[in-house]
Amino acid sequence: MNVPTGTADVLLRTEGRAGFLTLDRPRAINALTHTMVLALDAALTDWEHDPAVTTVVIEGAGERGLCAGGDIRAIHDDARAGGSASAAFWRDEYRLNALIARYPKPYVALMDGIVMGGGVGVSAHGSVRVVTERSRVAMPETGIGFVPDVGGTYLLGRAPGELGTHLALTGGHVGAADAILTGLADHFVPSAELPSLVRDLTRLPAEEAVARHTATPPPGVLAEQREWIDACYPAETVESVVERLFDAGLPAAKEAATTLLAKSPTALKTTLATLRRSRALATLEEVLDLEFRVSCAALTSPDLVEGIRAQVVDKDRNPRWTPATLSEVTDESVARSFAVPAGGDLGLAAARQDQANRQAAGQAADDRPALRPAAEDRAPRDRA
């Protein structure tokens, strides 16, 4: 086994046929920094061209989880200062998400423990996604005045029925069975089996190694709740969704409505609009371009700073949203979230199309992976 190398809280090692990416900020549940994103990108680019590495595995250090998301304290400070560091971080993070989705070698994500926000971005776009009985997978952004990003609206927009809308708006976490049901994961492996799975990944093809350890997950909850979820969330507005949830006459639906009313009203309305726009887009790259606009717009919203303050900085869990109610959030304010940022668009879809055009013309491809179907480009899941 090679001695672990790497920089900036990302450890790299190769063993047998596998290259391992270990997120190494266990005290922060491996929250992503900009430098970590760049280190992951560089390692994946190197291993793509290394014939000795046939499988890539991403894992998290410590016992708490793969990754709790991006470093939102840094985003809080940058937004307060009116800086540009967050936009620069998102540019590189979303490019990394697209690279993972089209990676030409098996990319195995060990989604043990907490996997939230940016953690979903570095795992759920992979080709082989493993959850355990400890997994807690979520896109909790509306609780901090933000909108699901890292391709989250693409993934959730293609979940069965309105399950993805429910998860995007409430920010609720799911366990193994529901992560598989909603398309955020593929395989359940008991956490006690992970060391054996890792050993097998060093010597066997990825799918064969995972198949040796796959089991039936503990039952989830979303399948039984789908009837009222599918009935309530197609409503035209968030206000109507909340009304339907209260009117459903079910404790779980009432709990969801109460949860929504505690979230940022602006983030809820923007999330619903983003999710519905993303469903009409064909590729992950197009959705990441859309999400980049929305993320940059959030930097100028008071709710992002206030939400992170309440949840992470002061931890009083009492955010004061501006505006404070859904009825005060105008269609015009939501529409402004989709404007081109001052620093320009992300441009992933255009770059992908340019690469496709050059390949079609027989020109040499650049040093990025050749175009291939992303995991998310499969036929959309049943939405009936």
Side-chain angles (χ1 to χ4, degrees), residues 142-195:
T142 57
I144 59 166
F146 198 45
V147 174
D149 66 334
V150 298
T153 62
Y154 199 107
L155 293 164
L156 295 177
R158 282 151 179 78
E162 294 293 333
L163 296 180
T165 310
H166 171 64
L167 295 179
L169 294 180
T170 63
H173 63 76
V174 295
D178 288 333
I180 294 171
L181 172 64
T182 53
L184 298 173
D186 305 302
H187 309 279
F188 171 76
V189 173
S191 59
E193 289 286 309
L194 290 180

Side-chain angles (χ1 to χ4, degrees), residues 235-320:
E236 185 176 347
T237 66
V238 178
E239 292 95 324
S240 297
V241 169
V242 172
E243 183 178 358
R244 290 188 187 187
L245 288 169
F246 277 125
D247 289 345
L250 298 168
K254 181 180 179 180
E255 180 181 352
T258 303
T259 296
L260 292 182
L261 292 178
K263 307 297 183 182
S264 159
T266 298
L268 287 175
K269 287 199 171 184
T270 307
T271 293
L272 185 61
T274 305
L275 190 68
R276 289 177 174 172
R277 289 190 182 207
S278 76
R279 285 174 177 166
L281 299 175
T283 66
L284 173 63
E285 286 82 359
E286 291 174 283
V287 173
L288 289 167
D289 285 346
L290 178 71
E291 290 178 349
F292 181 73
R293 291 186 175 192
V294 175
S295 296
C296 289
L299 287 172
T300 65
S301 165
D303 279 5
L304 179 58
V305 170
E306 173 62 11
I308 299 174
R309 179 208 64 78
Q311 297 297 330
V312 178
V313 180
D314 296 337
K315 299 182 180 179
D316 60 26
R317 306 294 193 267
N318 185 33
R320 295 178 291 275

